[in-house]
Amino acid sequence: MTELLKKLCLLDGVSGNEENVSSAIISEIDGHCDWHLDNLGNIIAFKKGKKPSKRRLVIDAHTDEVGLIITDITSDGFLNFTTVGGINTEVLLSRRVRINGNIIGVISSKPIHLLKGDAKTNLPDAKDLYIDIGLSGKTEAEAVVSVGDRAVILSDFTIAESKILAKALDDRIGCAVLVSLLKADAEYDFYATFTVQEEVGLRGVKTAAFAVEPESALVLEATTASDIMGVPPENRVCVLGEGAAVSFMDKATLYDKPYYDAALGSGLAVQPKRAVAGGNNSGAIHLTKEGVRTLAISVPCRYIHSASCVADINDINSAKALAEYMIDGICSGKIV
């Protein structure tokens, strides 16, 4: 699964521009399940198992990543931009970016020796940053870049012992796990959705869940791990290396208590997410039609929404194992 994750992370797929990621996923799952694309670009798949499921189950992962979108081209050939999804300004400064898959630039601002007073020590506003692609004027820049084009912060894919460092681990981790579930033999029928535009308001999943009409859902995600220097143990939310994290509540969802309890009682390496913060596609899925019993299975990730996300391979394997456990329990009726 590591090679698949590398393949997916190195692709660019900012919200609204996920086609490269979707095409790679389709090339992996084609022949292992029935699938189709909806009008927004969601992949909706059905995996035929050896037995029918007692509940209509969907497993979801989102294909998009945070990034940038070009809003203007200046007379000097610099590019103004805004963020797509939640990105802190400090992770943008002086980073290289890739636009449209082949144009390289650097995020720039006024150099420090031209700053005065508090501006020398305070972070610049995101609106004061720009992208320099090395061209000398608006006409040259407009020949290769247009307003509305997306950009990603450049990153490689590095494995150090059990740790992976890469961009877009949120949520290419979930995509890789879901692909592996679809490619394996299944005991029970289930649905799978690879959804778009999660980072800009849980948009794609709304149409996908409406189409599938699930009774139960598992959402495969990456989530913020704060087991870093300067954060006391009681504020660390979840920890790398201690298994998949399951949430009891976040800012968008109150999770199904029996599913949460079943996950923690599975005997697998699982940890509770010890904070009520953030949200994911569960927020839209669990409110679909007559309501959907939902559990999020998340992989702890340091420095999330940056070009240097860090996750543990053991936690990714734990997320897959927990998903398999929950699929069997929900579809068989053993988890009620």
Side-chain angles (χ1 to χ4, degrees):
M1 189 161 50
T2 302
E3 282 303 309
L4 172 60
L5 182 56
K6 178 179 180 179
K7 175 182 177 181
L8 295 177
C9 285
L10 292 178
L11 295 171
D12 299 345
V14 178
S15 305
N17 200 184
E18 302 94 344
E19 294 87 353
N20 289 336
V21 180
S22 297
S23 293
I25 289 170
I26 288 168
S27 71
E28 292 286 338
I29 67 173
D30 192 38
H32 297 281
C33 60
D34 296 326
W35 62 269
H36 71 275
L37 285 170
D38 72 7
N39 290 330
L40 289 186
N42 299 308
I43 303 169
I44 300 176
F46 175 72
K47 178 69 175 181
K48 182 66 177 174
K50 298 174 185 176
K51 306 171 188 174
S53 175
K54 293 190 175 182
R55 292 185 65 83
R56 193 177 182 90
L57 172 68
V58 68
I59 308 169
D60 176 76
H62 69 87
T63 55
D64 60 316
E65 63 187 287
V66 297
L68 314 173
I69 190 167
I70 308 305
T71 59
D72 192 25
I73 301 173
T74 73
S75 60
D76 296 322
F78 299 121
L79 311 180
N80 297 131
F81 67 88
T82 191
T83 57
V84 179
I87 306 178
N88 290 332
T89 304
E90 57 263 33
V91 308
L92 297 175
L93 296 174
S94 301
R95 295 306 301 258
R96 289 186 302 149
V97 299
R98 181 169 54 227
I99 306 166
N100 297 338
N102 60 356
I103 305 298
I104 304 300
V106 61
I107 299 175
S108 307
S109 62
K110 187 180 291 187
I112 190 167
H113 62 276
L114 296 181
L115 299 176
K116 297 179 181 179
D118 291 342
K120 287 188 175 182
T121 54
N122 294 340
L123 279 173
D125 290 333
K127 63 181 176 60
D128 294 326
L129 302 177
Y130 59 89
I131 298 172
D132 182 352
I133 57 174
L135 299 179
S136 59
K138 186 170 186 174
T139 300
E140 287 188 14
E142 286 181 332
V144 295
V145 177
S146 299
V147 170
D149 288 346
R150 270 67 161 192
V152 298
I153 305 173
L154 276 176
S155 176
D156 54 12
F157 187 96
T158 302
I159 299 176
E161 297 183 349
S162 68
K163 304 296 190 296
I164 293 174
L165 186 154
K167 74 171 182 67
L169 291 180
D170 174 22
D171 184 33
R172 306 292 157 71
I173 283 176
C175 292
V177 171
L178 187 48
V179 165
S180 70
L181 294 172
L182 288 171
K183 293 176 75 171
D185 291 337
E187 192 69 19
Y188 295 96
D189 300 343
F190 66 87
Y191 288 84
T193 54
F194 298 89
T195 48
V196 300
Q197 300 184 35
E198 189 266 2
E199 299 292 359
V200 290
L202 318 184
R203 295 179 182 176
V205 72
K206 293 176 182 177
T207 62
F210 184 88
V212 173
E213 297 182 308
E215 299 171 283
S216 299
L218 303 175
V219 174
L220 303 176
E221 258 286 10
T223 194
T224 302
S226 297
D227 56 336
I228 56 177
M229 288 186 64
V231 179
E234 64 270 19
N235 294 332
R236 291 191 169 185
V237 183
C238 55
V239 178
L240 265 65
E242 294 190 5
V246 290
S247 298
F248 48 86
M249 178 181 173
D250 59 32
K251 294 296 186 180
T253 310
L254 270 165
Y255 290 92
D256 187 89
K257 186 66 161 56
Y259 287 3
Y260 172 80
D261 290 342
L264 290 180
S266 65
L268 301 168
V270 180
Q271 58 183 307
K273 181 179 175 181
R274 301 178 186 275
V276 178
N280 55 56
N281 274 345
S282 301
I285 292 178
H286 85 286
L287 297 177
T288 299
K289 297 247 172 146
E290 297 176 353
V292 182
R293 298 178 63 185
T294 304
L295 178 74
I297 299 174
S298 303
V299 172
C301 182
R302 294 176 187 157
Y303 324 119
I304 203 166
H305 286 194
S306 78
S308 302
C309 307
V310 177
D312 192 303
I313 294 171
N314 296 311
D315 295 336
I316 298 172
N317 292 333
S318 166
K320 180 185 176 184
L322 180 58
E324 292 170 335
Y325 176 86
M326 294 301 297
I327 292 169
D328 179 77
I330 292 169
C331 295
S332 68
K334 288 185 288 188
I335 299 175
V336 296

